Amino acid sequence: MIFENIDIDHAWKRVLNSQFESEYFIALRNILNEEIESGKTIYPQESLIFNAFKLTPLDEVKVVIIGQDPYHNPGQAMGLSFSVPREIRVPPSLKNVYKEIAQNTGDQIPEHGDLTGWARQGVFLLNAMLTVEEKKPGSHKKIGWQKFTDSVISTISDKKEGVIFMLWGRYAQGKKPLIDIRKHTVLEAAHPSPMARNAFSGCKHFSICNNILRLQGKNVINWSV
């Protein structure tokens, strides 16, 4: 049975417990169990579905980057938006993120796509859907994940102050109404996908973010790890 014991940061568990016990989340879990029992392959593996919540405790969230779907090809998804394991080729969207970092901050571009180092510095890498069926992008769009992750975004907005939300592309920007802009900073840009025709370039989100963190007296993010 999937999600029998959700191993996440205790603060996350405390504020999200009502979601885990809700009817919609129980239904979501049942759908995933049925798919797995029928032989479908689901990504990421169960131990990584809540990886963002393990690596970035609620109390340490400084920045939020919202993605849409986990990667749907074998070996890619690791429970962090835009991130892939070190042995996997860097995806095109992340390549464009890295290019912007290099142009914007002068930081060296990593040779891998593992963003665990960001997550451990307080960058909460949240996908709106936490699972996907193999080679079927968007396959879990309607099973309840968006209700759950919307509640996560609202919880961050309600419980914390001074968080920097990076909303890339129309889908992520659609989450803006969940954020109290009187308490937090929202940075918007085109999606870094090559399909956006380089519109992401020049957004300067990474230097802007670190300047805000300095003003808040917080440690800046080392984007090169």
Side-chain angles (χ1 to χ4, degrees):
M1 178 71 73
I2 199 168
F3 303 157
E4 279 195 285
N5 180 29
I6 299 175
D7 180 23
I8 60 175
D9 165 63
H10 70 278
W12 277 123
K13 184 171 284 190
R14 184 178 67 252
V15 298
L16 296 176
N17 193 55
S18 62
Q19 301 297 319
F20 294 139
E21 295 179 349
S22 67
E23 290 186 9
Y24 85 86
F25 196 88
I26 293 170
L28 181 160
R29 185 177 62 184
N30 290 337
I31 290 170
L32 291 176
N33 278 313
E34 289 172 4
E35 292 195 1
I36 292 169
E37 289 172 2
S38 71
K40 294 179 180 179
T41 299
I42 305 301
Y43 296 132
Q45 63 191 58
E46 184 179 357
S47 63
L48 295 177
I49 290 173
F50 292 96
N51 199 22
F53 299 82
K54 297 177 187 177
L55 293 174
T56 313
L58 176 60
D59 294 342
E60 297 177 18
V61 172
K62 297 188 288 188
V63 182
V64 177
I65 298 178
I66 300 173
Q68 190 166 350
D69 246 2
Y71 296 114
H72 56 270
N73 290 322
Q76 291 183 311
M78 56 183 297
L80 304 174
S81 61
F82 294 95
S83 181
V84 293
R86 286 178 177 252
E87 65 273 14
I88 299 295
R89 182 181 298 178
V90 179
S93 292
L94 185 54
K95 282 185 179 179
N96 285 337
V97 170
Y98 282 171
K99 288 178 184 177
E100 176 61 20
I101 289 171
Q103 294 169 359
N104 182 204
T105 68
D107 288 348
Q108 185 175 357
I109 297 175
E111 296 180 354
H112 60 82
D114 185 352
L115 304 182
T116 299
W118 291 9
R120 287 178 171 154
Q121 295 178 79
V123 182
F124 187 56
L125 298 164
L126 178 69
N127 276 318
M129 278 68 72
L130 298 191
T131 59
V132 68
E133 185 181 345
E134 181 179 26
K135 297 183 179 179
K136 290 187 177 181
S139 51
H140 289 170
K141 186 175 182 179
K142 297 181 180 180
I143 70 171
W145 277 130
Q146 292 186 84
K147 185 171 184 177
F148 174 75
T149 54
D150 281 357
S151 76
V152 171
I153 296 167
S154 295
T155 295
I156 295 171
S157 179
D158 293 343
K159 301 290 185 182
K160 296 185 67 67
E161 293 187 10
V163 174
I164 301 161
F165 291 82
M166 296 186 184
L167 308 182
W168 300 339
R170 290 182 181 179
Y171 183 84
Q173 289 162 12
K175 306 299 181 181
K176 187 175 180 179
L178 302 171
I179 304 165
D180 186 346
I181 59 174
R182 298 167 298 178
K183 296 169 57 182
H184 307 286
T185 299
V186 174
L187 303 178
E188 299 180 66
H191 196 278
S193 166
M195 296 177 67
R197 298 183 180 181
N198 211 35
F200 181 77
S201 178
C203 69
K204 296 182 170 30
H205 280 191
F206 306 97
S207 63
I208 293 171
C209 172
N210 278 349
N211 286 338
I212 294 170
L213 292 175
R214 287 190 190 95
L215 289 173
Q216 294 176 346
K218 299 175 183 176
N219 291 331
V220 300
I221 306 300
N222 177 3
W223 301 108
S224 65
V225 297

